[in-house]
Amino acid sequence: MLALRLDGLAMKMHWISEPGKLDAKYLESPAARALLGGKGTALSRLAAWGMNVPRFGVLTTEFHRACREAESPLELACAALGDLSAWNCEYFAVRSSMSAEDSSSSSYAGIFETFLNVRAEDVPARVLDVHRSVDSQRARIYHARAGFAGRSPLAAVVIQKMIAAERAGVAFSRAPTGNSALVRIEAGWGLGEGVVSGKVDVDAFLLDRFGAEVRREIRNPRPALTGEMFSSLLAAVLEIERRMGHPVDVEFGVASGVLHILQARPITQPMYELHYYADTNLAESYPGLTSPMTADFVARMYTKVFVESAELLGQSRARLSALMPFYRSLIRSFGGHLYYHLNSYYTVIAALPGGKKNLDAWHRMVGGAVSRLIPLHPLPPLSILERARFAVRIAAITLFHRPLFRRFNFAAESRIYKLDMELKALETVDAKQTIRLLLAVIGTTRGWALPVVNDLLVMTGTKKIAEFLAAKGIFETDTAAFLKTRAGVDSLGPLRALDELANEATPERVQAFLERFGDRAFEELKLECLTFKEDPEAFSRLLRWKMKVNEIGRARPMPSKGAPFARLFERLTFLEKIRFRMLLWFTENAIRAREATRMMRGKYYGWVRRAALQTFRALQRDHAELFSRYKTDEFWGLTLGDLHRYALGAINERELETTLASKARWRVQEAAYPELYCHPEPYPSAVAPYFRSRDTAVRAPGGGAAKPGELSGTGAAPGIARGKVLALTHPTEAFDHADLHERILVTRSTDPAWVFILSKCA
């Protein structure tokens, strides 16, 4: 399709019958708006972007100028619109399109005349009526308010084919009231003009920006929108918003089941910037509700470790300073649930060598896909020196990988042992001293940048393996079959030890297991979840269940990577075999190191948990009149910030108790947390998360409830499995089932401690 360009004499043209074919760059220019007006330019851009816009043409502002100078404007209009008869259309819509109309600063809504269901022979007369409305008394008043006093503005006129819409409406990419992160759709039966003017009953739908319906208000006997209409309309509205660069309201119509975009306007109401969040992968470590104490601790540690990682990789002071706001907001909590702050994560990851390509690799490691909705904060490109430093340090870590991680694990183990001794020495002193030790340890802990850099190596390795396999026609979803690293994986140690213990559970063997693996727990990275050593009853239930499962049957062995490996190697050249083996060796080493450091991370979190518990006990012991009535679980409603203020003397014991009283019921806020979430800044804000609303019923767009017994989701591995399903929300629910070797496990997410359950499933 040949794009039309307007310059010189072409600018004098009066009638453009296919504005959507104009040059894309021209349509973004002020000259296009001056010629086609606001509505005409918007429709032309929509058509150029591939939206399904009913056929239209534009009588330009130059035509309006010519009409003002002509002796017979009607004859001029008839001559310009001579080709309308070839449109094979019975009725037309005739609308004004002034340059300032439908702009981000003024809308002119309802000021100019609009005519619907106009026959072809009457269109010229209606065009002149639109011109007259531009010079009407109410228009002149609005012109003056909009800053056009004393001028005589010109207006283009849009001539558009009327569609026989059985339903129509308007969609706001940002809800005008309530939580503006939601998309509001108002729809009714009949033409869109009736919906916009309020002449017909409209149904209202609130959707999140990822397709889930949040709320609906139905006023018609039958909903005006159902099923697939939601997803296609939502996709169109968000794409229009993305391309226009600001919130929009979009008029649409549905004719014979086909969605038509009728027009799009900027929303002129001031709104906060939207930020995007995902719990992908993070929910494996922090599923569901997380205590305020854990949320505060995790956010602090992510900031600290990522800054240290940037220093380790040689980022300059200037670059660190520019990225610091993003490092400080990597993790945020909404409704008691932890999310990656994608705006910050994307900026930090894209700041590394590789730029935006790193985002795909990151999502390959943690799950999900790169969102086009999220803008990247512009940063100056890396200097040659920064790139060189990065390459040298990555090479050094790769070359000395094993000794570096052996030293890291030894140093971390030794430090935790010494910290335990320091903590024990404070058992009988007041809570403030334990708090000071806890905060000092969190503030001065270093060395954990190495595991984060190792994650970068895992990310790079899996990316290279996926690219290698893709070149051989093997799908990325099959990559995992080549990366089975059971040998030497430290996180499997507790599983093997528990299997042995279940076969012969003497008191001495139980004690030995708890001494070695007592720091493990289900959801072990949540400080409020007690370890096996701290909660012997929970461990006893696990052991009794394990013994019963072992008596009934064992899970089938996992398939090895031998078969796919052999089939691939038959197709490789000698040099390709060497390269692929090196990639596997490199990536598997990094994965083993990651598993080992995860175990060490669990031990470090365990120390923080012990320090917090010692603090709670000291408060109950020394200030029983204030704190004895609180259960241990309720203390986790405090934050490290609360404890810090108390240790500094900024608040006293009674004020700390008042704070605790307001937060003790932190568990009541648990909700059905979406994987993807969007929220308006600033953070934190007074706007409640939309999934916390009492009347919220999150469901598929236009959907209704799932059928009884119906489960949907994403498979953890490729292929098809058949068998009895066991749906769990928490691993301890498996203790009521001894036939896991016959079951297919379905769960919202898993954390490392789920390995005790997963290993017994079919």
Side-chain angles (χ1 to χ4, degrees):
M1 184 184 296
L2 181 65
L4 301 178
R5 295 182 180 275
L6 299 180
D7 52 26
L9 293 176
M11 283 291 290
K12 299 295 184 182
M13 64 194 317
H14 293 168
W15 168 244
I16 303 176
S17 61
E18 295 184 273
K21 294 182 180 179
L22 294 171
D23 180 69
K25 289 185 179 179
Y26 172 75
L27 288 174
E28 300 294 330
S29 69
R33 194 172 187 90
L35 186 70
L36 305 175
K39 194 177 281 90
T41 302
L43 284 173
S44 302
R45 293 164 74 190
L46 291 172
W49 296 335
M51 299 295 162
N52 187 25
V53 180
R55 185 174 180 181
F56 70 99
V58 179
L59 283 166
T60 67
T61 53
E62 291 299 322
F63 173 76
H64 191 186
R65 189 193 307 277
C67 284
R68 284 177 172 173
E69 298 170 355
E71 292 184 6
S72 177
L74 185 61
E75 288 183 12
L76 192 63
C78 290
L81 296 170
D83 69 342
L84 281 186
S85 57
W87 281 28
N88 190 28
C89 176
E90 187 175 2
Y91 295 105
F92 295 86
V94 181
R95 292 186 172 95
S96 63
S97 179
M98 205 177 77
S99 60
E101 192 177 356
D102 294 346
S103 70
S104 57
S105 58
S106 54
S107 68
Y108 279 86
I111 299 299
F112 305 138
E113 292 288 357
T114 292
F115 300 96
L116 304 177
N117 297 310
V118 180
R119 292 186 177 276
E121 60 270 22
D122 296 327
V123 169
R126 300 291 78 76
V127 168
L128 299 184
D129 287 340
V130 171
H131 284 170
R132 281 189 282 273
S133 72
V134 173
D135 296 320
S136 67
Q137 179 64 26
R138 67 174 179 175
R140 283 197 291 271
I141 294 172
Y142 197 94
H143 295 330
R145 290 175 179 170
F148 297 100
R151 304 189 211 174
S152 183
L154 296 170
V157 180
V158 172
I159 316 296
Q160 190 168 30
K161 177 181 178 179
M162 288 286 296
I163 60 169
E166 61 265 11
R167 61 192 91 182
V170 59
F172 301 88
S173 69
R174 302 282 301 273
T177 59
N179 192 322
S180 66
L182 296 173
V183 176
R184 182 178 177 88
I185 300 173
E186 297 175 354
W189 295 93
L191 297 177
E193 202 69 22
V195 174
V196 174
S197 64
K199 294 178 181 177
V200 302
D201 289 332
V202 296
D203 302 326
F205 306 88
L206 282 174
L207 276 64
D208 73 16
R209 302 173 80 80
F210 312 101
E213 184 183 322
V214 175
R215 194 176 305 125
R216 56 168 55 190
E217 300 170 9
I218 305 301
R219 295 188 177 90
N220 287 289
R222 288 185 300 137
L225 290 182
T226 56
E228 293 300 317
M229 295 178 193
F230 283 96
S231 55
S232 55
L233 176 58
L234 180 65
V237 170
L238 294 183
E239 178 65 9
I240 293 169
E241 180 189 67
R242 187 185 72 83
R243 286 182 175 268
M244 286 193 169
H246 49 67
V248 293
D249 71 67
V250 177
E251 288 185 30
F252 64 91
V254 179
S256 302
V258 178
L259 174 68
H260 299 268
I261 302 299
L262 304 180
Q263 61 177 319
R265 294 178 294 263
I267 295 177
T268 57
Q269 173 184 341
M271 290 185 174
Y272 287 117
E273 180 185 1
L274 289 182
H275 283 224
Y276 291 83
Y277 302 86
D279 72 359
T280 309
N281 177 256
L282 191 64
E284 294 185 6
S285 298
Y286 307 97
L289 183 66
T290 299
S291 72
M293 181 77 75
T294 295
D296 189 356
F297 171 64
V298 171
R300 288 171 185 242
M301 290 307 298
Y302 265 76
T303 297
K304 182 173 180 56
V305 170
F306 269 77
V307 170
E308 186 186 341
S309 303
E311 294 170 344
L312 180 62
L313 293 174
Q315 283 196 354
S316 66
R317 288 176 180 258
R319 199 168 188 81
L320 274 174
S321 178
L323 288 169
M324 193 57 70
F326 304 100
Y327 286 129
R328 287 177 177 149
S329 58
L330 291 170
I331 302 293
R332 286 179 171 176
S333 175
F334 288 97
H337 187 60
L338 294 186
Y339 285 94
Y340 289 127
H341 181 204
L342 293 181
N343 299 64
S344 292
Y345 246 97
Y346 277 20
T347 299
V348 167
I349 293 171
L352 296 170
K356 294 181 181 179
K357 294 180 181 178
N358 297 331
L359 302 181
D360 284 315
W362 182 68
H363 275 291
R364 187 180 291 109
M365 184 173 69
V366 304
V370 178
S371 173
R372 298 172 65 198
L373 299 173
I374 302 171
L376 290 179
H377 185 82
L379 290 170
L382 287 164
S383 67
I384 295 176
L385 180 59
E386 285 177 312
R387 289 179 180 276
R389 275 202 305 260
F390 179 89
V392 168
R393 295 188 183 191
I394 285 289
I397 292 170
T398 304
L399 184 61
F400 300 104
H401 191 271
R402 287 192 177 180
L404 280 173
F405 274 88
R406 278 199 297 267
R407 189 170 67 182
F408 166 79
N409 287 323
F410 177 78
E413 189 87 55
S414 301
R415 177 167 169 76
I416 292 169
Y417 176 80
K418 292 177 182 177
L419 289 174
D420 272 331
M421 295 300 101
E422 292 183 49
L423 190 61
K424 189 173 181 62
L426 297 177
E427 279 183 344
T428 58
V429 301
D430 65 43
K432 288 185 178 181
Q433 293 194 49
T434 303
I435 294 171
R436 292 188 189 107
L437 173 64
L438 172 61
L439 294 174
V441 168
I442 293 173
T444 59
T445 294
R446 292 188 63 84
W448 289 93
L450 192 61
V452 173
V453 174
N454 187 69
D455 280 347
L456 183 62
L457 300 182
V458 173
M459 189 170 73
T460 303
T462 53
K463 174 186 175 183
K464 294 297 182 184
I465 289 173
E467 290 172 352
F468 184 94
L469 294 175
K472 301 301 176 184
I474 298 175
F475 292 113
E476 185 173 324
T477 51
D478 296 324
T479 303
F482 297 89
L483 285 172
K484 297 189 183 299
T485 55
R486 294 192 205 97
V489 176
D490 289 356
S491 60
L492 296 180
L495 175 62
R496 299 190 185 101
L498 187 64
D499 265 331
E500 294 172 2
L501 181 61
N503 293 329
E504 187 181 353
T506 65
E508 294 77 15
R509 290 170 62 86
V510 170
Q511 184 61 34
F513 179 91
L514 290 177
E515 285 299 322
R516 188 176 177 192
F517 300 113
D519 284 334
R520 300 305 302 270
F522 295 117
E523 301 181 356
E524 63 188 5
L525 296 185
K526 292 182 178 181
L527 299 178
E528 61 273 16
C529 294
L530 302 184
T531 64
F532 295 152
K533 189 182 294 184
E534 293 158 344
D535 189 358
E537 176 57 31
F539 175 71
S540 177
R541 288 188 64 203
L542 171 64
L543 181 58
R544 290 196 302 268
W545 170 81
K546 193 75 169 177
M547 294 168 67
K548 189 175 181 180
V549 168
N550 283 1
E551 289 175 5
I552 294 176
R554 298 187 181 275
R556 283 168 278 181
M558 293 280 289
S560 72
K561 64 183 178 185
F565 205 87
R567 287 195 297 271
L568 173 64
F569 263 53
E570 290 173 359
R571 299 156 49 190
L572 300 182
T573 66
F574 177 74
L575 291 178
E576 285 176 332
K577 290 177 183 177
I578 294 175
R579 182 188 171 209
F580 188 58
R581 284 189 183 277
M582 289 182 66
L583 280 174
L584 285 177
W585 175 85
F586 168 84
T587 307
E588 288 181 351
N589 269 346
I591 291 173
R592 288 192 190 96
R594 183 175 67 178
E595 293 303 306
T597 55
R598 279 182 174 179
M599 292 284 289
M600 197 57 62
R601 179 184 60 179
K603 292 182 179 181
Y604 177 69
Y605 275 54
W607 183 89
V608 173
R609 180 186 295 110
R610 291 192 293 277
L613 289 170
Q614 185 166 304
T615 299
F616 304 158
R617 288 192 294 268
L619 287 170
Q620 290 179 316
R621 181 194 66 222
D622 298 338
H623 306 284
E625 74 285 1
L626 294 175
F627 297 103
S628 60
R629 66 189 180 93
Y630 292 100
K631 298 176 181 178
T632 299
D633 191 64
E634 293 175 323
F635 277 94
W636 298 111
L638 295 171
T639 66
L640 291 172
D642 296 329
L643 296 181
H644 190 200
R645 285 190 292 276
Y646 172 62
L648 288 176
I651 59 175
N652 59 31
E653 288 80 12
R654 190 164 296 280
E655 289 168 321
L656 180 64
E657 189 275 332
T658 301
T659 301
L660 176 57
S662 68
K663 298 179 177 182
R665 300 182 69 244
W666 60 273
R667 285 199 182 273
V668 301
Q669 61 182 330
E670 185 149 21
Y673 300 106
E675 179 182 353
L676 300 171
Y677 180 63
C678 184
H679 197 82
E681 288 292 279
Y683 174 86
S685 71
V687 179
Y690 52 75
F691 54 79
R692 288 276 310 279
S693 301
R694 286 187 180 273
D695 55 345
T696 293
V698 178
R699 49 197 162 191
K707 298 176 183 177
E710 181 180 281
L711 298 172
S712 63
T714 303
I720 298 173
R722 290 182 174 86
K724 292 187 293 183
V725 167
L726 177 61
L728 303 178
T729 57
H730 192 274
T732 56
E733 295 171 6
F735 295 167
D736 298 325
H737 304 273
D739 60 343
L740 262 65
H741 61 289
E742 299 176 353
R743 299 286 196 137
I744 297 171
L745 180 65
V746 176
T747 182
R748 169 67 175 83
S749 63
T750 61
D751 67 47
W754 275 79
V755 69
F756 298 117
I757 310 301
L758 296 174
S759 63
K760 292 301 179 183
C761 290

